[in-house]
């Protein structure tokens, strides 16, 4: 295990090892949190959730309260839902259960969310990379032709992080139907996109759909994500889960958030409006090429000669956190920025314009 961790930690130590994840004290536009969820509203329901909880008691085991609420809201059975301490915990469980023996392999469609590789490698499995097409689409043909005897899981992120693109549903379903493998469809950003396959997850024996309360519902700090799918598959994951991993306040918040879904839908609409605004502003910067997004972030390419790593470093020094994605396949010189409030979006555009001017 120590050997598996060494390449991840390298020489970095303590807080420093995770500084790129902190966003501490900065304008937070690097982690795809949702700052358009009204703070007063969020605080009010958080206070109500806290009131309903007795902190001396362990939480309902296996996220039972939250799982029941989600099942009821979707009209499915409770055993078709697994709730985790963020969808990160669900990814960790998937890797532990399906990918922990030597020689077991997961396919990832790159560029994509890096945690699929992380959890697979910690569990002891391997990942095989299939590249997205030049315009960041999913090719079912390429994925299916990469499947072999060692393939156990195929991770598909749609809308994809960091490109923001939601893949064509027929391409995804073709992989589900023809691969004969466990498909993990990570829909962390589907609330901002035209469609979701979560309604169809129980129709297929091999499809697991991941959703989260961290993004659209502004609950990143409380940690609640979930997986929908075939009860038999989920039973394996639940068996490997620690009983009290989802805290009581997060479970009550899930209940309150779903009771107030209409209000959250209005916050989601604001994200989409701001996304359009920010894309248009980026398009107006000379040489900058933003990609159309179905998520709450935008990927854009900087003009040749202006280095994405240097731009992100300078913005960070000025107190604004965005993500350099330039080292990922197909993403040379690309940066990912989270859609935020109008004030933050304007601040970002001004700072980016200034930084590009200094570097030109
Ligand atoms: C694609 C994707 N999946 C999962 C996650 C993890 O979300 P959670 O906060 O539910 O652990 C993220 C977070 O950035 C993400 O981008």
């Amino acid at each position: 295990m120590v050997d598996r961790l060494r390449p991840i930690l390298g020489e970095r130590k303590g807080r420093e090892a995770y500084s790129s994840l902190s966003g501490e004290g900065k304008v937070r536009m690097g982690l795809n949190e949702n700052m358009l969820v009204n703070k007063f509203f969020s605080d009010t329901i958080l206070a109500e959730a806290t009131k309903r909880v007795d902190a001396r008691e362990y939480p309902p085991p296996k996220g039972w309260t939250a799982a029941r609420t989600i099942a009821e809201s979707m009209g499915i059975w409770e055993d078709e839902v697994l709730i985790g301490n963020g969808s990160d915990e669900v990814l960790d469980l998937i890797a532990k259960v399906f990918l922990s023996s030597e020689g077991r392999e997961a396919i990832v469609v790159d560029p994509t969310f890096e945690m699929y590789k992380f959890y697979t490698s910690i569990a002891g499995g391997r990942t095989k990379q299939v590249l997205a097409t030049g315009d960041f689409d999913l090719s079912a043909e390429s994925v299916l032709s990469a499947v072999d005897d060692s393939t156990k899981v195929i991770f598909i992120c749609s809308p994809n992080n960091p490109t923001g693109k939601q893949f064509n549903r027929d391409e995804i379903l073709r992989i589900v139907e023809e691969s004969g493998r466990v498909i993990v469809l990570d829909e962390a950003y589907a609330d901002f996109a035209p469609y979701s396959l979560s309604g169809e997850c129980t129709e297929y024996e091999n499809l697991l759909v991941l959703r989260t309360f961290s993004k659209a519902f502004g609950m990143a700090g409380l940690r609640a994500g979930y997986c929908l799918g075939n009860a038999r598959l989920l039973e394996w994951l639940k068996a490997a889960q620690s009983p009290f991993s989802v805290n009581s306040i997060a479970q009550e918040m899930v209940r309150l958030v779903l009771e107030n879904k209409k209000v959250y839908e209005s916050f989601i609409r604001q994200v989409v409006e701001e996304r359009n605004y920010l894309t248009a502003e980026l398009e107006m910067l000379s040489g900058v090429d933003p990609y159309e997004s179905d998520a709450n972030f935008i990927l854009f390419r900087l003009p040749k000669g202006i280095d994405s790593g240097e731009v992100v470093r300078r913005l960070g020094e000025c107190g604004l956190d965005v993500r350099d994605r330039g080292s990922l396949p197909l993403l040379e010189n690309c940066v990912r920025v989270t859609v935020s409030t109008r004030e933050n979006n304007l601040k970002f555009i001004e700072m980016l314009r200034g930084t590009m001017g200094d570097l030109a």
Side-chain angles (χ1 to χ4, degrees), residues 30 38 43 48 67 109 135 151 162 191 246 273 325 335 345 355 358:
N38 180 278
D43 287 350
E48 176 58 28
V109 183
D135 47 3
T151 312
D191 299 282
V246 186
E273 275 166 31
R325 301 286 78 180
V335 175
N345 294 339
T355 306
D358 290 344

Side-chain angles (χ1 to χ4, degrees), residues 31-32 84-91 112-113 115-116 119 157-161 186-189 210-215 219-220 223-226 297 336:
L31 289 172
N32 304 336
N85 188 279
S87 44
D88 262 336
E89 189 197 10
V90 184
L91 290 169
T112 195
F113 187 45
M115 298 307 275
Y116 309 138
Y119 287 122
C157 185
S158 177
N160 191 16
N161 177 8
D186 185 348
E187 290 196 331
Y189 301 97
L210 256 62
R211 304 292 297 260
T212 181
F213 286 90
S214 298
K215 308 297 179 186
M219 268 177 60
R223 315 305 297 128
Y226 59 101
F297 55 84
R336 189 194 72 197

Side-chain angles (χ1 to χ4, degrees), residues 148-165:
D148 61 26
D149 288 347
S150 27
T151 312
K152 304 297 168 201
V153 173
I154 302 172
F155 290 104
I156 300 173
C157 185
S158 177
N160 191 16
N161 177 8
T163 65
K165 185 160 209 168

Side-chain angles (χ1 to χ4, degrees), residues 85-143:
N85 188 279
S87 44
D88 262 336
E89 189 197 10
V90 184
L91 290 169
D92 188 22
L93 290 171
I94 289 168
K96 279 181 181 147
V97 170
F98 298 116
L99 296 162
S100 65
S101 313
E102 203 156 311
R104 291 185 166 216
E105 207 166 74
I107 291 178
V108 294
V109 183
D110 264 327
T112 195
F113 187 45
E114 289 162 315
M115 298 307 275
Y116 309 138
K117 286 179 199 154
F118 171 83
Y119 287 122
T120 303
S121 92
I122 295 296
R126 287 191 316 241
T127 40
K128 186 190 273 179
Q129 177 197 48
V130 171
L131 273 191
T133 66
D135 47 3
F136 304 150
D137 262 323
L138 171 73
S139 155
E141 199 58 49
S142 312
V143 172

Side-chain angles (χ1 to χ4, degrees), residues 28 85 119 122 131 138 151 238 281 293 295 316 324 337 353:
R28 305 175 68 94
N85 188 279
Y119 287 122
I122 295 296
L131 273 191
L138 171 73
T151 312
K238 284 178 194 174
E281 288 291 314
S293 170
D324 175 22
V337 60
R353 183 181 286 120

